[in-house]
Each structure stands twice: as structure tokens, then as C-alpha cells.
Amino acid sequence: MDILQSKLCDIQGRLFEMSADKEYDSVTFIKQFMNSNLAHNLDSEYNRMQWAGEEYLMEELADECAQLLTHHGTLFTKDELFWMGYIYRYWHFYTGEDSRKIYKQAPVETMKINYYMFHTMSPEMAIDDLKEIYKQKKS
């Protein structure tokens, strides 16, 4: 992973953290983000959004999903949110899969359930285990 990719993982982690400050329902926020045009743009080989900070990305997502983001629902901890945001972006760089495909394999509920076991693992190991859980559920 190069330095830009690493920075994008951190930015996405901080974006997810920021959703708690905005009091967005965590489940809704993560689902909407992972299926958004914004996430698709971040998946691109090059897109101007990759140079934006988390504050700007939050504004873009709020504009795109204004009717769908809800306040005062389930709020995850900032540690959980950062890890989820970081791992989802790392997953893209690790496998080349896009955010929508990643989310189908590891929806927010799967990430939440496995956080306590996986957050201390290397990102690659956590992603491999999440992919294995998905494969087992499919069969």
C-alpha cells in the first residue's frame, strides 16, 4: 500500500468517526456511504474526491444522501466507526473490489459483530476472515 492509499484509509476512518459527531444513525450512515456515488468516486483509480478531507467528503455525502441519513438512531463508538471506515477502504486497495461489492460481503451488521475480534488483527487478516464468513454464509 502506498502513502496516498494509506492516507485515504485514514480519511475514510475519520469520515466514519465524524458521523458520530453529526449524530447520524451509524447503520444508515455506513450503508448509504458504501453504496453512494461518493464511495464509487473514491474507488476510482484517480478522482478529485481522493484529495478532499473528511469534512468536505461529509458535506458531499450529506448532499447526496440528504433524505436518507437519519439522526439519533444507533450510534457506534468512534473506535468502531474508525475501524470500519478504515477497513472498508483498505479492503478496496487490498482486493481491488468496489465499495458496493465489499458492502455486500460485509454489511454493517457483520462488521459490528466482528469488531471486537477483528480490530486487533492486521487489516489483511481481518479482511480475509470477513471474506471467509461471507463464503460460509453463502454455502
Side-chain angles (χ1 to χ4, degrees), residues 7-52:
K7 286 181 187 247
L8 285 170
C9 293
D10 282 334
I11 288 169
Q12 187 163 307
R14 290 193 308 269
L15 172 68
F16 276 44
E17 260 184 343
M18 187 183 292
S19 72
D21 294 335
K22 301 274 185 189
E23 297 184 341
Y24 285 131
D25 175 85
S26 297
V27 173
T28 303
F29 174 83
I30 294 167
K31 180 178 181 181
Q32 292 306 315
F33 174 81
M34 291 300 291
N35 290 289
S36 70
N37 290 327
L38 177 59
H40 176 74
N41 290 338
L42 293 174
D43 292 340
S44 301
E45 189 169 327
Y46 173 79
N47 186 286
R48 68 178 175 83
M49 289 299 168
Q50 294 167 337
W51 297 98

Side-chain angles (χ1 to χ4, degrees), residues 69-134:
L69 295 176
T70 57
H71 290 280
H72 306 294
T74 303
L75 292 178
F76 297 166
T77 68
K78 286 187 174 187
D79 289 339
E80 291 169 325
L81 289 164
F82 181 87
W83 179 79
M84 290 179 200
Y86 187 95
I87 290 296
Y88 279 138
R89 182 58 36 210
Y90 195 104
W91 189 326
H92 165 71
F93 294 125
Y94 180 54
T95 67
E97 295 169 285
D98 68 44
S99 293
R100 287 184 180 109
K101 183 175 181 183
I102 292 166
Y103 189 77
K104 284 180 186 172
Q105 294 173 75
V108 65
E109 297 81 7
T110 299
M111 297 294 276
K112 174 74 169 155
I113 289 168
N114 291 291
Y115 167 76
Y116 289 106
M117 290 185 299
F118 291 1
H119 81 280
T120 58
M121 296 178 175
S122 72
E124 296 88 352
M125 186 179 288
I127 292 163
D128 290 343
D129 285 354
L130 288 163
K131 288 176 80 60
E132 183 61 31
I133 290 168
Y134 175 72

